[in-house]
Amino acid sequence: MSIHSGQLQRRAGATTTSSRWSGVVAPGLREIILLAALWTTYAISRVVASDDLAAARARAADLLHLESLLHLDVESWLNHAVTPISQIAVPMSFWYASLHYLVTPAVLVFLFVRHRGEYVRARNAIVIGSAIGLVCYVLWPTAPPRLMPGGAYLDTLVSTSDVGWWSGQTSLPNGLGQMANELAAMPSLHVGWTVWVAWALWRHVGVVGRTLSVLYALGTAIVVVATGNHWVLDAVAGAVVIAVGIVVSGRIAARARPSS
């Protein structure tokens, strides 16, 4: 009887493990497909967005004028201060070219595996915020500082491309630069995604984790401006569109919650 009971327990345990894995794998594949669709949408936006550099530079000049009125126009000073110093420029280039590709998916996986009940809202928040950003890229293509004429801004990633995998065009690997929208400066989703990371992790980490997540967001804002890839107001707008995504996703979650 004891041997038979042990066999039944092992079979029950195996069935439970199998059910647990099937409960993770199938939804996980669905989420991968959904996020891949978002990336496909971005790729399509690259095709339909205007590549009129002169118009994009004019919009950037208007943005810079507004920054000057607000005393926020620090891009040229910061860019020229850090780019000639390889000990600073190289780490910043690695930061810009890699962390948003690594940290954001890692946080999504963490929420999906450890906090499934909050995952859907968090995923909706970043999808909605990113979608708003993509619409802005199509309707209001704006040149980043590095594409402005006159030599007022340096392209930090180009100056450090000999030590990294990024191309001379964008943070994408060599050979894939043509897939990126170089006029997708406003808003900065680099910054927006870091704000999302800080928000998504806030309830699940301690003081150290919260401090690191805030420093990650602030550090990214400095990096995107210092490397000549975004204007200060691009960073602000990136935080705003993700904040909108967080608010909208919260309302969607509240409506989907069954009333007591």
Side-chain angles (χ1 to χ4, degrees):
M1 293 292 292
S2 61
I3 296 176
H4 181 64
S5 176
Q7 290 175 338
L8 290 177
Q9 290 177 352
R10 285 193 295 272
R11 290 175 182 174
T15 301
T16 301
T17 301
S18 177
S19 299
R20 186 181 298 119
W21 273 107
S22 63
V24 172
V25 172
L29 289 175
R30 184 172 62 247
E31 293 302 320
I32 291 173
I33 292 172
L34 175 62
L35 296 174
L38 180 63
W39 173 256
T40 302
T41 302
Y42 169 79
I44 293 174
S45 75
R46 172 67 183 93
V47 176
V48 300
S50 171
D51 58 356
D52 186 343
L53 181 57
R57 282 174 168 171
R59 295 187 189 95
D62 291 339
L63 197 65
L64 182 59
H65 176 65
L66 176 59
E67 286 190 357
S68 68
L69 295 177
L70 299 173
H71 303 290
L72 296 175
D73 52 332
V74 300
E75 293 88 354
S76 182
W77 168 80
L78 184 58
N79 176 235
H80 280 268
V82 303
T83 300
I85 306 173
S86 60
Q87 294 88 342
I88 299 177
V90 170
M92 280 192 164
S93 295
F94 274 99
W95 184 312
Y96 182 85
S98 61
L99 288 191
H100 70 296
Y101 292 125
L102 300 174
V103 176
T104 309
V107 173
L108 280 167
V109 170
F110 168 74
L111 293 176
F112 183 81
V113 174
R114 299 291 299 276
H115 302 280
R116 185 78 65 87
E118 299 181 28
Y119 171 80
V120 172
R121 184 193 171 186
R123 179 252 286 154
N124 287 345
I126 195 170
V127 168
I128 292 168
S130 299
I132 296 172
L134 294 183
V135 171
C136 292
Y137 296 158
V138 172
L139 298 181
W140 204 54
T142 305
R146 62 185 177 83
L147 291 184
M148 297 298 283
Y153 307 95
L154 305 173
D155 192 328
T156 307
L157 266 70
V158 167
S159 70
T160 58
S161 60
D162 58 322
V163 298
W165 59 83
W166 47 87
S167 67
Q169 296 173 281
T170 68
S171 62
L172 291 176
N174 278 307
L176 299 179
Q178 69 277 6
M179 294 177 60
N181 182 357
E182 291 199 82
L183 303 182
M186 167 63 81
S188 169
L189 289 181
H190 266 75
V191 173
W193 286 5
T194 64
V195 171
W196 175 86
V197 165
W199 167 78
L201 291 178
W202 195 261
R203 289 161 296 202
H204 310 298
V205 295
V207 174
V208 174
R210 290 178 177 180
T211 301
L212 290 175
S213 63
V214 170
L215 290 176
Y216 173 50
L218 292 176
T220 299
I222 293 172
V223 165
V224 301
V225 172
T227 56
N229 282 284
H230 286 283
W231 307 97
V232 170
L233 288 180
D234 294 343
V236 174
V240 169
V241 297
I242 290 298
V244 171
I246 291 171
V247 171
V248 173
S249 68
R251 293 185 178 179
I252 293 173
R255 290 181 180 179
R257 194 177 301 124
S259 57
S260 56

